[in-house]
Amino acid sequence: MKNITIIGTGYVGLVTGTCFAEKGHQVTCLDIDSEKINALQQGHLPFYEPDLAKLVTKNVAAGRLRFTDSYDQAIRGAQVCFLALPTPSLKDGSCDISYLLMAIEELAQHLKTPLFLVNKSTSPVGTAGKIAQTLHAALKHRDDAPSFEMISNPEFLREGSAVSDCLHPDRIVLGVSSEAAAEFMKELYAPFSVGPDQILIMDIPSAELAKYACNAMLATRVSFMNNLALFCEKVGANVEQIRRVMGGDPRIGEQYLRAGIGFGGSCLPKDVQALRSMALAYDHRMPILDSVLQINQAQLDHFFDKIVTSLSPLSDKTIAMWGLSFKPDTDDLRAAPALFLIEKLLSQGARLQLFDPIAMSKASRLLSKFEKITFCQDEYAAAQGAHALVLTTEWKQFQCVDFDKLGAQMQNKLLFDGRNQYQPSEMQKHGFHYMGIGIPPETIPLSLVHVHPE
Ligand code: UGA
């Protein structure tokens, strides 16, 4: 058992801290947001993540997990401190590490005993060095300055499956500069279900860059498929069939080949931009990343154009939208394609009826300034009287829909499926005019889909 401090209670910090506690370590999670800490102390989580609430409750009750807004309390007796802080994009796309450096200044004032300092936040190559310099500078006037050692341990968990990803990692990446640091981290991760070949020990710059390489590769795969999907639409091919062929090749693999309305969230878009700017700072161009970002934007624009072409003018139309979060099983709306689409549709005068299984309260706060939005209690209510239905996030519950009931209450049986969730032939059976992504248009003409002709 080790004494662990985690600075930052966002997705990475809170999930990692909770999972370390679940594995038997003694964990203190620190956040400077006192309201958040108060809420956590009362068992209220700042975001929705499957299975997290019950693990937090269990480990707090067992005395292995606690929350504080005091650096002094958090760092007292800690053997290792993880930094899990936001590293947002600056205007030029580069990564802002100021939250990390501010935390270090504060930490320095309370640090009394030797420490392994582990950066888990996604941050550019050289960040560990900058953190170390900052801490050295802050400690240099102290006679009792304790020793510390930097480690880079990037996180690979996905929102929506964060607890399971953290408890059962594919691999653990450790960027270290000493044998002692590697040994300490191996002991820390010993209770996790990982074999020795899943612990990848390397130099610190490689560990820092590896995280960006992974996210950029995932984004590249998605953009490749999205770009291909638009070509499929031109030549009458079906990207879903092509995906099966590609995924069946073990050299390619099945994952991150789903065409849709583009990748979103707080990581992929930000990290592709950050890698691009990081490379440029070293006078190295990565044009593939420019294309990845351009394709991602074009994908959403193309989807919007399809809606406009079918329904124009939008000013007298009501559009139902299913799914607001950037992906299922999370209430995270950051860089959610649905939000971009909502703004575009509203700018054309459309009236929107929205539903999301989990993200409704966050969305209603965020979109409160828009008048032509109605937040609906379920997917059917959202579709009531709508001229079209747009699926933006593939929540599981949208897979079991009574399409006859749904169709009967819509103005038009017109479905824009931004995630290729439905079978065109099935939709046709229910009389829907169906438009997926990279799927040949099916045969029911738009003129026949009016349920209630105006
Ligand atoms: C991503 C990475 O997958 C994690 O490994 C990483 O730890 C995390 O970023 C991070 O850096 O913190 P996450 O942002 O939670 O995780 O989301 P993903 O599940 O990767 O999905 C990202 C976006 O890609 C979503 O908008 C999703 O809809 C889209 N996507 C994904 C597709 O459009 N097609 C696919 O085939 C897969």
Side-chain angles (χ1 to χ4, degrees):
M1 187 274 285
K2 309 254 187 238
N3 284 323
I4 302 175
T5 294
I6 311 263
I7 303 185
T9 55
Y11 284 92
V12 172
L14 188 55
V15 172
T16 308
T18 306
C19 291
F20 275 132
E22 174 68 11
K23 293 293 179 183
H25 295 298
Q26 193 65 41
V27 180
T28 304
C29 291
L30 166 86
D31 204 295
I32 53 169
D33 181 342
S34 309
E35 266 181 44
K36 204 171 170 188
I37 290 299
N38 282 338
L40 279 164
Q41 284 167 340
Q42 286 159 40
H44 304 302
L45 267 53
F47 50 82
Y48 171 78
E49 183 62 43
D51 301 329
L52 186 59
K54 68 171 189 273
L55 273 199
V56 168
T57 308
K58 175 183 164 195
N59 284 284
V60 168
R64 289 189 297 265
L65 179 63
R66 63 182 187 136
F67 301 101
T68 181
D69 58 3
S70 150
Y71 268 86
D72 189 45
Q73 268 182 32
I75 207 66
R76 206 178 300 153
Q79 296 161 284
V80 56
C81 174
F82 283 85
L83 301 167
L85 289 159
T87 49
S89 293
L90 290 168
K91 277 210 176 92
D92 64 356
S94 65
C95 176
D96 176 7
I97 61 164
S98 60
Y99 291 104
L100 286 170
L101 300 182
M102 282 189 293
I104 293 304
E105 298 277 0
E106 196 64 38
L107 176 78
Q109 295 179 29
H110 303 275
L111 187 60
K112 297 195 172 69
T113 48
L115 190 74
F116 286 110
L117 187 53
V118 185
N119 185 22
K120 246 195 187 304
S121 321
T122 304
S123 41
V125 179
T127 300
K130 284 187 186 151
I131 292 173
Q133 268 173 14
T134 307
L135 189 50
H136 274 302
L139 290 174
K140 79 173 177 222
H141 303 297
R142 273 176 48 184
D143 296 336
D144 61 344
S147 61
F148 70 92
E149 182 167 347
M150 279 307 302
I151 295 168
S152 169
N153 173 212
E155 182 51 60
F156 297 98
L157 58 79
R158 293 160 298 172
E159 289 178 27
S161 56
V163 170
S164 158
D165 289 348
C166 192
L167 290 174
H168 311 285
D170 300 324
R171 72 282 200 219
I172 289 165
V173 174
L174 300 175
V176 293
S177 43
S178 78
E179 193 61 36
E183 281 313 307
F184 179 87
M185 293 301 285
K186 280 201 268 182
E187 281 172 28
L188 200 66
Y189 279 108
F192 289 75
S193 44
V194 280
D197 50 354
Q198 288 170 281
I199 298 195
L200 310 177
I201 296 173
M202 61 195 70
D203 57 276
I204 291 178
S206 301
E208 290 175 325
L209 190 52
K211 169 65 194 246
Y212 283 103
C214 291
N215 276 1
M217 175 58 93
L218 296 174
T220 303
R221 286 171 69 99
V222 174
S223 273
F224 178 85
M225 293 310 287
N226 282 336
N227 196 223
L228 187 75
L230 299 200
F231 184 50
C232 286
E233 288 182 8
K234 290 188 173 152
V235 295
N238 186 328
V239 77
E240 289 301 312
Q241 303 297 357
I242 296 170
R243 179 171 66 82
R244 286 168 57 211
V245 178
M246 292 172 73
D249 183 335
R251 294 171 303 172
I252 298 174
E254 288 179 349
Q255 300 205 41
Y256 286 78
L257 294 183
R258 288 194 172 273
I261 47 171
F263 56 81
S266 66
C267 304
L268 262 47
K270 166 176 95 71
D271 292 350
V272 174
Q273 285 187 30
L275 178 55
R276 188 178 160 273
S277 337
M278 204 189 310
L280 279 177
Y282 286 84
D283 209 14
H284 180 72
R285 282 203 63 229
M286 296 186 77
I288 193 166
L289 301 183
D290 299 340
S291 300
V292 168
L293 293 169
Q294 274 163 19
I295 291 166
N296 204 43
Q297 183 57 49
Q299 196 67 10
L300 201 61
D301 294 342
H302 177 75
F303 190 64
F304 172 70
D305 289 346
K306 268 190 200 171
I307 300 174
V308 174
T309 308
S310 304
L311 286 177
S312 188
L314 293 190
S315 51
D316 56 356
K317 301 294 184 318
T318 298
I319 298 176
M321 190 180 280
W322 286 359
L324 302 172
S325 56
F326 83 96
K327 66 172 187 177
D329 294 321
T330 178
D331 60 355
D332 196 346
L333 296 164
R334 287 175 292 175
L339 293 189
F340 292 110
L341 201 59
I342 286 170
E343 295 223 9
K344 276 164 140 330
L345 292 169
L346 288 173
S347 74
Q348 298 284 312
R351 176 169 293 285
L352 302 180
Q353 298 181 169
L354 311 180
F355 174 70
D356 185 284
I358 295 286
M360 291 294 268
S361 58
K362 277 194 181 172
S364 58
R365 282 198 299 276
L366 202 68
L367 300 170
S368 59
K369 63 176 180 211
F370 298 112
E371 280 173 9
K372 293 180 90 176
I373 290 182
T374 309
F375 292 93
C376 302
Q377 64 182 15
D378 62 31
E379 56 270 49
Y380 295 100
Q384 188 72 47
H387 294 89
L389 167 62
V390 178
L391 179 97
T392 33
T393 316
E394 67 278 29
W395 285 89
K396 267 210 186 83
Q397 78 180 64
F398 300 150
Q399 278 164 17
C400 330
V401 175
D402 179 341
F403 282 104
D404 293 330
K405 175 179 164 188
L406 185 78
Q409 62 192 48
M410 292 176 70
Q411 283 282 342
N412 294 337
K413 289 205 222 176
L414 177 56
L415 170 53
F416 296 92
D417 181 354
R419 300 290 178 181
N420 287 352
Q421 285 303 288
Y422 305 114
Q423 292 296 334
S425 53
E426 269 301 296
M427 297 316 303
Q428 197 169 352
K429 266 193 224 153
H430 294 290
F432 272 78
H433 185 86
Y434 174 81
M435 286 194 231
I437 307 279
I439 294 178
E442 37 68 39
T443 45
I444 298 186
L446 210 50
S447 56
L448 296 183
V449 302
H450 294 280
V451 181
H452 306 291
E454 284 148 296

